[in-house]
Amino acid sequence: MSYPEPRYLGENGEVSAVFRPVDTTPELESPSGDRTHYLATHATTGGEFGLYRVDMGPRAPGPSTHFHRSISESFFILSGAVRLYDGDRWITARSGDFLYVPVGGLHAFRNESDDPASMLLLFAPGAPREEYFEQVAEMTRRGGEELEEFRVRHDSFFVD
């Protein structure tokens, strides 16, 4: 195994880091109290990855079983208990637990507990997931062909 080919060819490095303070307001809040923080978007990372913090309220439903054709997805539980589906079984994941789902891997998540939960979602390579997060509830409400086209456009293929 070797490192990828260099993409930065300068001799002295550059000032290019991006800092996000902990008290930054979440970019997305749902009526149920769920919040999504855009920590590092595909635009911020030049498409290398996308990192999001999802704060789920008690009994918050998540997406049903699905897979992605072009991106992997990883889950790191910060607090609470999140039910994760790994394609074979449902696991109650707690603070510090991690699940990696390769491209094509079946997965789902939800908060079945009476307490809030928080987790990090990592997509690699980075994809424009912000539009998906912002519009998924409305598109699900609309349903039909419009929902199916939305899902395909956002590399989300549901199996149930």
Side-chain angles (χ1 to χ4, degrees):
M1 179 168 205
S2 61
Y3 280 87
E5 288 297 314
R7 293 180 293 156
Y8 174 76
L9 302 175
E11 295 296 322
N12 299 313
E14 62 187 26
V15 177
S16 57
V18 178
F19 175 72
R20 181 183 165 98
V22 68
D23 58 356
T24 302
T25 303
E27 282 74 10
L28 184 61
E29 292 192 58
S30 72
S32 65
D34 293 348
R35 297 176 300 170
T36 304
H37 303 259
Y38 299 170
L39 302 178
T41 66
H42 75 288
T44 305
T45 67
E48 290 189 37
F49 66 92
L51 181 63
Y52 306 86
R53 188 175 94 211
V54 177
D55 300 326
M56 303 173 74
R59 301 275 167 203
S64 61
T65 304
H66 64 285
F67 64 94
H68 307 290
R69 294 181 189 271
S70 64
I71 55 177
S72 66
E73 188 169 356
S74 296
F75 302 82
F76 182 80
I77 309 306
L78 297 170
S79 65
V82 178
R83 294 284 287 168
L84 298 174
Y85 183 63
D86 69 0
D88 181 46
R89 62 193 166 103
W90 283 96
I91 303 161
T92 300
R94 302 190 185 282
S95 179
D97 287 341
F98 174 79
L99 174 68
Y100 167 67
V101 182
V103 174
L106 294 170
H107 62 286
F109 65 88
R110 61 184 177 232
N111 181 4
E112 294 179 350
S113 78
D114 291 326
D115 297 313
S118 184
M119 65 181 170
L120 295 176
L121 293 181
L122 174 72
F123 297 95
R129 297 302 284 175
E130 301 80 34
E131 181 186 45
Y132 181 82
F133 294 141
E134 293 164 6
Q135 296 181 9
V136 67
E138 173 60 21
M139 295 308 244
T140 301
R141 187 189 65 73
R142 292 181 190 179
E145 191 174 309
E146 193 173 6
L147 173 60
E148 194 54 37
E149 289 172 0
F150 174 79
R151 287 175 167 174
V152 168
R153 186 170 68 249
H154 289 285
D155 190 26
S156 295
F157 300 89
F158 287 79
V159 298
D160 58 353

